[in-house]
């Protein structure tokens, strides 16, 4: 099911209203279908909303431009965050959804982190897999205890450990309830991520229903 909105996307309606919808944000070279199986596995019954990034890098979709690996075009990033927040608002109206929890991988995790910092009203929380600091100088933001899970890889060749820690610090200082776990993994997403995502998302659904 997908209405005509400002991003090419897929929407799968959920069956469990206690669960927040998931906003699935793919990594570089992915598309709107990539994370649907992960979303179904880690949040059974949740509505799934999966846009395709609108930037092309050598033909590969991304959510914002970069100047080099890990070096971001922050002016483009800020504009793309606004575009994504507008899409989320459109999709909430079209599909009748509460604010989603973002589940982002790599480039998708980075735009999710930037969205928390720049447009916090767009998200109820976020699970950030292999995320790094998206903005050198984030604005003052009040995240009002929104839940954030960061899953980093100890052997990640793209995201240095100190960078992931800095992101956790930025989000915690902005008031998010941050859980940061570092797995014995590289940049790729593995079974340990799936297990941690599932239990974090289930605990969050229980909080909300309470
Ligand atoms: C990014 O550009 O967002 C990060 O370098 C992660 C990636 O997409 O490879």
């Amino acid at each position: 099911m997908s209405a005509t909105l400002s991003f090419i996307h897929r929407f799968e309606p959920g069956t469990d209203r206690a669960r927040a919808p998931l906003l699935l944000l793919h990594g570089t070279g992915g598309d709107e279908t990539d994370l649907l199986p992960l979303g179904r596995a880690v949040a059974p019954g949740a509505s799934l909303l999966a846009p395709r990034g609108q930037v092309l890098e050598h033909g590969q979709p991304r959510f914002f431009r970069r100047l080099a690996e890990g070096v971001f075009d922050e002016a483009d990033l800020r504009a793309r965050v606004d575009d994504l927040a507008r899409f989320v608002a459109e999709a909430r109206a079209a599909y009748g959804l509460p604010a989603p929890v973002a589940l982002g991988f790599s480039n998708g995790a980075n735009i999710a982190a930037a969205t928390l910092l720049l447009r916090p009203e767009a998200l109820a929380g976020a699970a950030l897999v292999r995320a790094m600091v998206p903005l050198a100088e984030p604005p003052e933001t009040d995240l009002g205890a929104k839940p954030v899970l960061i899953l980093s890889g100890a052997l990640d060749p793209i995201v240095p450990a100190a960078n992931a820690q800095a992101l956790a610090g930025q989000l915690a200082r902005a008031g998010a309830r941050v859980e940061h776990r570092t797995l014995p993994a590289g940049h790729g997403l593995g079974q340990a991520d799936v297990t941690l995502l599932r239990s974090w998302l289930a605990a969050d659904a229980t909080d909300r229903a309470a």
Side-chain angles (χ1 to χ4, degrees):
M1 174 175 176
S2 62
T4 303
L5 304 177
S6 59
F7 277 60
I8 295 169
H9 69 282
R10 291 276 295 272
F11 176 67
E12 289 191 4
T15 53
D16 181 351
R17 297 182 66 84
R19 283 196 175 270
L22 286 189
L23 176 68
L24 300 171
L25 300 169
H26 62 79
T28 301
D31 69 18
E32 67 280 14
T33 64
D34 260 34
L35 296 184
L36 291 170
L38 177 68
R40 288 182 208 119
V42 299
S47 294
L48 304 178
L49 178 64
R52 183 193 304 177
Q54 294 182 322
V55 167
L56 285 180
E57 183 185 84
H58 309 302
Q60 300 205 312
R62 288 174 51 83
F63 285 96
F64 59 90
R65 286 184 221 289
R66 63 180 164 183
L67 308 173
E69 191 165 277
V71 184
F72 302 145
D73 176 340
E74 291 198 19
D76 184 70
L77 171 56
R78 286 169 187 269
R80 304 283 174 184
V81 163
D82 284 339
D83 293 346
L84 185 64
R86 190 175 318 116
F87 165 73
V88 169
E90 286 169 9
R92 288 184 58 185
Y95 300 125
L97 301 172
V101 170
L103 167 51
F105 168 64
S106 189
N107 181 246
N110 296 339
I111 197 160
T115 303
L116 281 172
L117 291 163
L118 294 167
R119 297 292 303 272
E121 79 285 358
L123 299 177
L128 308 173
V129 181
R130 310 300 184 269
M132 58 195 296
V133 169
L135 296 161
E137 291 180 18
E140 295 243 330
T141 313
D142 181 1
L143 288 175
K146 288 184 203 283
V148 175
L149 174 66
I150 302 175
L151 297 180
S152 301
L155 310 171
D156 189 332
I158 296 176
V159 185
N163 187 299
Q165 264 157 24
L167 175 62
Q170 279 182 3
L171 293 168
R173 279 192 298 281
R177 277 187 287 137
V178 178
E179 182 177 340
H180 183 196
R181 304 285 289 264
T182 301
L183 310 177
H187 197 69
L189 194 153
Q191 188 54 45
D193 294 284
V194 174
T195 304
L196 288 168
L197 287 165
R198 190 187 292 128
S199 58
W200 184 81
L201 287 162
D204 200 48
T206 310
D207 279 359
R208 244 190 314 279

